Amino acid sequence: MHVAEDQASYRYRVEQFLPFWEEYGIEMHTVRITGKSYPEKLRLALGSKKYDYVWLQRKLLALFFITLIARRSRLLYDYDDALYARESYIDGLPKKPTKPGSKQSISRLNSLLKRTSMVFAGSDALVNYARQFNPDGTFLVPTAFSKVPELPVRVSCSDDRVTFGWIGNNLNLFFLSLIDDAASSLQARYPAVRFSVMSGKPPEGLKTCWNFVSWSKEAEVEWLESIDIGMMPLVDDEWSRGKCAFKLLQYMAHGKPVIASAVGANRAAVIDGVSGYLASSSAEWLAAFESLVTSPDRRRAMGKESCKHFLQTYERQKVQEQMADLLHRHFNQTQQH
């Protein structure tokens, strides 16, 4: 059971794996739970006994439904956001009870984690949180990205054509303010350097001049190929520490060197000084910018290492093999008891 099909959480932690589960001896049926009426949810919960596992992706169901499912089947919960924390771009407490960090969300999450047979968590921070309630059944399963078909590697030969890129949703444009001083300083020193953003709307109120590209599924690959360096700035708070470094995986899959805040899962996704740079201050961001702007050879070498690290750790098949192994081992263990 999962959230809406247009959510990245569904696309990259559920949908991309669906065509391949039979290869691992696993039969998977998907049901969208969001928007279902109470009687529909009740029928789904009561019918869960016909499955070996009910895999609930991110959705925080009420305790009543969780209890029904857990009594009839093995419940697996998968999450990739710090639903126990307030979102970085929200001032004050969440206004809606369903929002991350609200009392209802925290209560439902904690109750759910206690009653699950297995938890697949997308980052170390999420693993550590879940293990407070489910110490033996919680596993780190990183968000995955499909291998990119072989494409010619494009590396700008001079600083005149270097493009830094950021991709994300409208709410996450907030994080671009963290690198505004460094980015605008770089543009002042190297006027031809470009900063490109792919999102639902352009960033506002920044000193840096951003080239805006409207996001679409069809245009995403072309945009990722067009940039030279990928970026992921974050605030060092509880919400950001739970993030799963997904945009870094997109850059890495396309062989781009990366610069990221030294926060949460970014620390594992970036091999500092090898596949890119981790930065903790505006000065460190500027130093990383300049290092990559001034050396095409460094960009090329780091891009290769970036792609290598992606293929070894985050590629779809690697992650799916990990999940299948966990599921089969857990099933065999629980069959014996």
Side-chain angles (χ1 to χ4, degrees):
M1 293 187 286
H2 61 84
V3 293
E5 287 84 353
D6 60 349
Q7 296 291 315
S9 184
Y10 168 75
R11 294 202 308 273
Y12 295 109
R13 292 187 71 87
V14 179
E15 185 179 41
Q16 68 172 330
F17 300 113
L18 294 178
F20 308 103
W21 278 119
E22 289 186 6
E23 298 175 16
Y24 303 93
I26 295 171
E27 186 177 348
M28 185 82 70
H29 303 276
T30 60
V31 178
R32 176 173 173 167
I33 193 71
T34 306
K36 290 281 190 294
S37 67
Y38 185 95
E40 288 173 319
K41 289 178 182 176
L42 183 59
R43 281 195 294 272
L44 286 170
L46 292 172
S48 61
K49 61 183 178 182
K50 63 185 177 183
Y51 299 107
D52 294 312
Y53 288 86
V54 172
W55 186 322
L56 180 61
Q57 203 277 316
R58 200 180 188 279
K59 180 69 174 175
L60 296 175
L61 291 176
L63 178 59
F64 173 69
F65 293 114
I66 292 301
T67 303
L68 283 180
I69 295 169
R71 286 176 178 173
R72 289 164 172 76
S73 184
R74 301 171 184 84
L75 178 59
L76 188 160
Y77 184 62
D78 176 281
Y79 77 136
D80 62 343
D81 273 322
L83 303 176
Y84 49 85
R86 188 189 69 190
E87 294 161 297
S88 303
Y89 32 76
I90 300 295
D91 290 326
L93 295 174
K95 295 180 180 179
K96 292 184 179 180
T98 55
K99 281 288 186 179
S102 68
K103 289 183 179 180
Q104 176 180 290
S105 291
I106 294 171
S107 175
R108 286 189 174 189
L109 177 62
N110 295 352
S111 297
L112 172 55
L113 293 171
K114 290 175 186 176
R115 289 164 176 79
T116 52
S117 295
M118 300 180 77
V119 179
F120 286 174
S123 70
D124 286 328
L126 302 184
V127 167
N128 292 337
Y129 185 86
R131 282 183 177 160
Q132 297 175 87
F133 308 95
N134 195 325
D136 299 322
T138 299
F139 304 92
L140 174 64
V141 177
T143 298
F145 193 69
S146 294
K147 182 180 178 180
V148 175
E150 291 293 333
L151 294 168
V153 177
R154 186 191 74 84
V155 178
S156 294
C157 296
S158 73
D159 60 359
D160 288 342
R161 293 195 299 273
V162 176
T163 300
F164 292 87
W166 181 92
I167 185 171
N169 64 41
N170 294 353
L171 289 174
N172 285 333
L173 288 167
F174 158 84
F175 293 111
L176 295 182
S177 63
L178 303 176
I179 59 170
D180 194 35
D181 286 343
S184 59
S185 294
L186 188 81
Q187 280 189 328
R189 296 183 195 181
Y190 304 90
V193 167
R194 295 198 320 153
F195 284 84
S196 180
V197 58
M198 174 170 262
S199 189
K201 66 177 186 178
E204 298 175 351
L206 300 178
K207 295 177 289 185
T208 308
C209 179
W210 285 89
N211 178 53
F212 170 66
V213 180
S214 182
W215 182 88
S216 73
K217 193 174 181 180
E218 297 72 27
E220 188 175 274
V221 171
E222 182 180 353
W223 182 86
L224 285 164
E225 281 300 302
S226 75
I227 67 172
D228 297 295
I229 299 131
M231 304 179 296
M232 188 172 178
L234 289 176
V235 177
D236 191 2
D237 64 6
E238 204 170 23
W239 174 256
S240 291
R241 287 192 289 272
K243 283 183 169 291
C244 299
F246 178 69
K247 57 174 55 65
L248 292 180
L249 311 188
Q250 293 177 284
Y251 309 139
M252 292 158 62
H254 285 263
K256 310 299 180 181
V258 289
I259 310 174
S261 295
V263 174
N266 288 4
R267 292 177 177 271
V270 181
I271 307 173
D272 191 30
V274 177
S275 66
Y277 295 108
L278 291 168
S280 298
S281 67
S282 185
E284 290 181 2
W285 273 94
L286 182 56
F289 287 156
E290 288 207 279
S291 174
L292 289 169
V293 162
T294 56
S295 177
D297 289 341
R298 187 176 293 117
R299 294 198 295 274
R300 186 179 293 106
M302 285 188 162
K304 287 181 179 178
E305 291 297 326
S306 187
C307 187
K308 179 181 175 182
H309 185 44
F310 162 77
L311 292 172
Q312 291 174 341
T313 312
Y314 302 101
E315 191 269 328
R316 190 276 310 165
Q317 185 175 342
K318 290 278 187 182
V319 176
Q320 194 158 11
E321 287 173 356
Q322 176 190 355
M323 289 191 291
D325 181 60
L326 287 170
L327 282 165
H328 282 299
R329 282 197 285 127
H330 184 269
F331 181 72
N332 292 332
Q333 290 167 0
T334 52
Q335 281 287 87
Q336 295 169 6
H337 295 292

